[in-house]
Amino acid sequence: IRGDTEPFTDAGRSIGGVSDMALGVGYRVNENVFLGVGLHYYLGSTRLTAQRVFDNTAYTDILEQSATDFRGGGVAAGITVNRRKLDFAASGRLNSRLRSANSTGPVVHTPLPAQLAFGVRLQPVPGVFLAGHAQWDGWSRANADLTAGGGEQARDVWALSVGADVQRVMLIKFNTPLRLGYRWRQQRAPIGKASTHNFYSATARMFSRTTVGATPCPTISLASRTSIPTRSSPGPLFMLI
């Protein structure tokens, strides 16, 4: 400042987010086929506070505040097909542009990604279920708007999940359900081509099958989750489950 170097400290805080409110209806075509449609409304706000504090008390601290209001919408449809030992499910969602109105800047409209998802569940033997799920999010359509505003680049991303559910496992002389799962997901920003790997496990034990009135007896649940960030190449354009 005026040719002199003055030490200072910058601090920032952002509070808020965007909520997804949905309204859906379903129709049962027959014993095996179910259809559904839904409407989505995105609503939220964030408040950003930036402050610069000088070590020299002779200088006045600088404080800036701004609020951003978000609005958007989308429509989704899905289908579920139930067979004797094999179930299928598929869904898709189309989203509008997210309207961002900042109290200190212009109104910005950012495209939201389209989404496609597919899932399958197999019951090879009674009491054992195997499931898989794949989802695609088309974030690349928002890349130009995000980079123009100084944000990170965006790419289309995949997520893949598999899991197993065994309803009766002998554990310490008790029969208990056991659930295991794994999820691989790409990050939207292609910095370092990062992806994450999540491992899930859960089990539960009911003390007694009797009930008191309408209240079931207590159940002990044990669950764990491990997340491992990695750097890998972009996922395939098509995934087989």
Side-chain angles (χ1 to χ4, degrees), residues 1 6-13 48-66:
I1 302 176
E6 292 292 341
F8 60 84
T9 302
D10 282 339
R13 184 178 65 172
L48 177 64
T49 302
Q51 186 177 22
R52 173 166 294 182
V53 179
F54 291 94
D55 294 352
N56 190 343
T57 57
Y59 293 94
T60 303
D61 297 339
I62 301 174
L63 177 65
E64 293 183 355
Q65 293 181 332
S66 65

Side-chain angles (χ1 to χ4, degrees), residues 42-91:
Y42 309 116
L43 173 68
S45 63
T46 59
R47 181 176 297 275
L48 177 64
T49 302
Q51 186 177 22
R52 173 166 294 182
V53 179
F54 291 94
D55 294 352
N56 190 343
T57 57
Y59 293 94
T60 303
D61 297 339
I62 301 174
L63 177 65
E64 293 183 355
Q65 293 181 332
S66 65
T68 304
D69 181 75
F70 299 97
R71 297 287 188 276
V75 59
I79 181 173
T80 301
V81 180
N82 300 324
R83 309 301 296 177
R84 184 166 54 180
K85 292 186 177 182
L86 190 63
D87 301 329
F88 298 92
S91 65

Side-chain angles (χ1 to χ4, degrees), residues 145-211:
D145 293 83
L146 292 175
T147 54
E152 297 179 345
Q153 294 182 355
R155 61 173 176 174
D156 296 343
V157 296
W158 283 92
L160 174 64
S161 303
V162 293
D165 185 348
V166 183
Q167 294 185 349
R168 294 177 66 87
V169 175
M170 184 61 69
L171 183 64
I172 316 179
K173 298 182 179 182
F174 294 104
N175 285 321
T176 181
L178 178 64
R179 298 176 179 88
L180 300 173
Y182 165 77
R183 185 189 187 198
W184 170 81
R185 181 173 62 92
Q186 288 180 309
Q187 299 294 336
R188 174 182 60 81
I191 300 177
K193 300 177 180 178
S195 61
T196 59
H197 297 262
N198 299 322
F199 297 88
Y200 304 87
S201 63
T203 185
R205 172 61 191 164
M206 181 173 288
F207 287 117
S208 172
R209 292 184 178 276
T210 62
T211 59

